[in-house]
């Protein structure tokens, strides 16, 4: 027999559960607007120290960090772009771990903004095997550099030509060619978007890096030396998002609440979201206070938290 007291107790429980349903539904529906990948450069110290190899990277990303999308750096398999046996083994590692390949960051193959035509064309040719490698690995994209020596106008003109040539080749394989703001003119949002407007190709775009906005260093080089002139990072990312085919979530240090100390991630990711972006954010930890493993985990936690808050 149901007593009146039991009836009222169960009625109260049902009422409370019903009231909680909208809150639970809202929480469940709040999903991040982007996917998270791991950029191999986050582990460059361990890789250079030979603690593990490029072949180990996909399994490490999945098992250690719970990340199922990866971004390679060609420096860690420099002589393997056309090594079918090696690439087959790498693909097997990815398959075994349920990992998806996203892009390859290309360095050391020349600059596509070289004002010397011979050097620029040589750079284009050296990048072609990496386009083919990306196709073999199932990557969507390669990341390149658009550096060059000369005035802003001269380097821009050269970059338009170099990127256009490589873009035409990559288009035949459905591969994107994207430029990272990596220093010098390329870290100037107006300059880089101006180049993109002139290239005007769907498969040529930008990889906005949240941390690379130094446009002039004391050494006069793209890297190294103290930064003496910096472009506004929030303005730069806002400008670049129209051409973005991914974003590079750079971090260095974190405060006690797990927030990045030099980049306002709530502000930055709102810029990314407001642009209509629904792609992949690649973790690129470059700090020195935490270990590479801890820095990656902190960055992932920050992205997951911010992604569901905005």
């Amino acid at each position: 027999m149901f007593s009146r007291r039991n009836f009222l107790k169960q009625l109260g429980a049902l009422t409370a559960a019903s009231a909680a349903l909208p809150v639970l539904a809202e929480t469940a529906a709040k999903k991040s607007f982007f996917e998270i990948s791991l950029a191999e450069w986050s582990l460059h110290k361990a890789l250079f120290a030979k603690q593990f190899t490029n072949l180990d990277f996909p399994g490490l990303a999945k098992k250690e960090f719970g990340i199922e999308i990866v971004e390679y750096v060609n420096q860690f398999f420099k002589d393997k772009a056309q090594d079918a046996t090696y690439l087959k083994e790498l693909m097997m590692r990815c398959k075994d771990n349920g990992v998806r390949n996203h892009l390859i960051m290309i360095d050391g193959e020349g600059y596509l903004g070289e004002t010397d035509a011979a050097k620029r064309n040589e750079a284009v040719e050296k990048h072609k095997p990496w386009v083919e490698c990306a196709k073999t690995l199932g990557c969507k994209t390669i990341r390149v550099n658009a550096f060059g020596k000369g005035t802003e106008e001269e380097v821009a003109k050269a970059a338009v030509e170099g990127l256009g040539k490589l873009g035409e080749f990559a288009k035949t394989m459905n591969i994107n060619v994207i430029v990272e703001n990596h220093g010098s003119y390329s870290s100037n949002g107006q300059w880089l978007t101006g180049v993109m407007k002139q290239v005007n190709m769907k498969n040529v775009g930008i990889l906005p890096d949240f941390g690379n906005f130094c446009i002039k260093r004391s050494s006069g080089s793209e890297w190294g030396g103290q930064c003496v002139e910096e472009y506004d990072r929030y303005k730069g990312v806002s400008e670049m998002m129209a051409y973005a085919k991914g974003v590079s979530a750079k971090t260095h240090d974190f405060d006690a609440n797990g927030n990045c100390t030099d980049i306002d991630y709530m502000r930055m990711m709102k810029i990314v979201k407001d642009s209509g972006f629904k792609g992949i954010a690649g973790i690129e930890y470059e700090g020195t206070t935490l270990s590479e493993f801890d820095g990656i985990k902190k960055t992932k936690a920050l992205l997951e938290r911010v992604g569901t808050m905005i």
Side-chain angles (χ1 to χ4, degrees):
M1 293 289 291
F2 259 140
S3 70
R4 183 172 182 275
R5 179 180 296 174
N6 286 336
F7 173 75
L8 291 174
K9 185 185 292 185
Q10 290 194 24
L11 182 62
L14 287 169
T15 303
S18 298
L21 282 174
V23 177
L24 291 171
E26 183 180 353
T27 302
K30 193 68 173 177
K31 186 179 178 183
S32 179
F33 66 92
F34 58 89
E35 294 183 279
I36 295 175
S37 65
L38 178 61
E40 193 171 20
W41 190 253
S42 297
L43 295 161
H44 69 276
K45 294 174 186 174
L47 282 156
F48 282 131
K50 302 189 185 306
Q51 294 175 16
F52 51 86
T53 71
N54 183 68
L55 285 173
D56 301 317
F57 175 52
L60 194 69
K62 179 65 175 292
K63 293 170 185 174
E64 190 70 34
F65 309 109
I67 297 174
E68 299 179 348
I69 309 172
V70 295
E71 305 179 10
Y72 298 99
V73 176
N74 74 326
Q75 295 180 55
F76 301 119
F77 60 124
K78 193 66 183 278
D79 59 342
K80 306 295 185 182
Q82 297 176 301
D83 187 329
T85 302
Y86 180 91
L87 298 180
K88 184 178 180 181
E89 174 65 22
L90 183 56
M91 283 297 292
M92 185 63 69
R93 303 280 186 106
C94 294
K95 184 178 180 181
D96 289 346
N97 289 282
V99 169
R100 187 166 102 234
N101 295 326
H102 172 42
L103 67 81
I104 309 174
M105 297 187 177
I106 313 300
D107 296 306
E109 301 292 9
Y111 301 146
L112 296 171
E114 287 278 9
T115 50
D116 180 289
K119 288 183 179 179
R120 184 172 63 252
N121 290 331
E122 182 183 8
V124 170
E125 292 305 313
K126 284 185 174 182
H127 278 80
K128 287 181 178 179
W130 290 108
V131 173
E132 295 168 340
C133 179
K135 180 70 173 178
T136 300
L137 292 177
C139 294
K140 301 285 188 184
T141 303
I142 66 166
R143 188 276 282 148
V144 303
N145 292 298
F147 299 132
K149 297 295 183 184
T151 65
E152 287 188 19
E153 293 77 14
E154 291 168 341
V155 177
K157 182 180 178 182
V160 169
E161 185 176 327
L163 289 167
K165 284 184 177 180
L166 185 60
E168 287 291 347
F169 177 78
K171 185 168 66 173
T172 64
M173 300 184 190
N174 295 314
I175 298 294
N176 298 315
V177 175
I178 61 176
V179 179
E180 181 180 348
N181 47 306
H182 221 184
S184 190
Y185 301 140
S186 73
S187 289
N188 181 315
Q190 291 184 20
W191 184 89
L192 190 52
T193 53
V195 167
M196 291 300 135
K197 287 176 185 175
Q198 292 181 71
V199 174
N200 193 28
M201 294 178 66
K202 288 184 178 180
N203 70 316
V204 178
I206 298 175
L207 178 66
D209 184 301
F210 298 164
N212 291 347
F213 283 96
C214 183
I215 56 179
K216 189 175 182 181
R217 294 187 178 275
S218 57
S219 62
S221 64
E222 291 82 16
W223 306 292
Q226 186 177 357
C227 184
V228 294
E229 185 179 351
E230 191 168 28
Y231 199 80
D232 182 279
R233 71 183 71 237
Y234 305 103
K235 179 175 183 287
V237 171
S238 295
E239 292 165 339
M240 295 174 187
M241 285 311 300
Y243 299 94
K245 297 184 182 297
V247 295
S248 186
K250 179 70 60 63
T251 55
H252 293 95
D253 290 310
F254 300 86
D255 63 21
N257 296 316
N259 294 311
C260 183
T261 56
D262 58 340
I263 300 169
D264 182 340
Y265 260 74
M266 283 293 290
R267 180 181 177 187
M268 189 65 85
M269 293 309 291
K270 188 175 188 308
I271 291 170
V272 173
K273 185 178 183 180
D274 288 349
S275 74
F277 180 83
K278 297 184 185 300
I280 297 171
I283 292 172
E284 193 171 60
Y285 173 69
E286 283 193 342
T288 56
T289 305
L290 299 173
S291 70
E292 289 181 321
F293 278 42
D294 287 342
I296 290 167
K297 290 173 182 177
K298 285 271 192 181
T299 308
K300 184 182 181 228
L302 173 60
L303 285 172
E304 288 174 337
R305 175 162 52 85
V306 171
T308 57
M309 289 175 67
I310 55 176

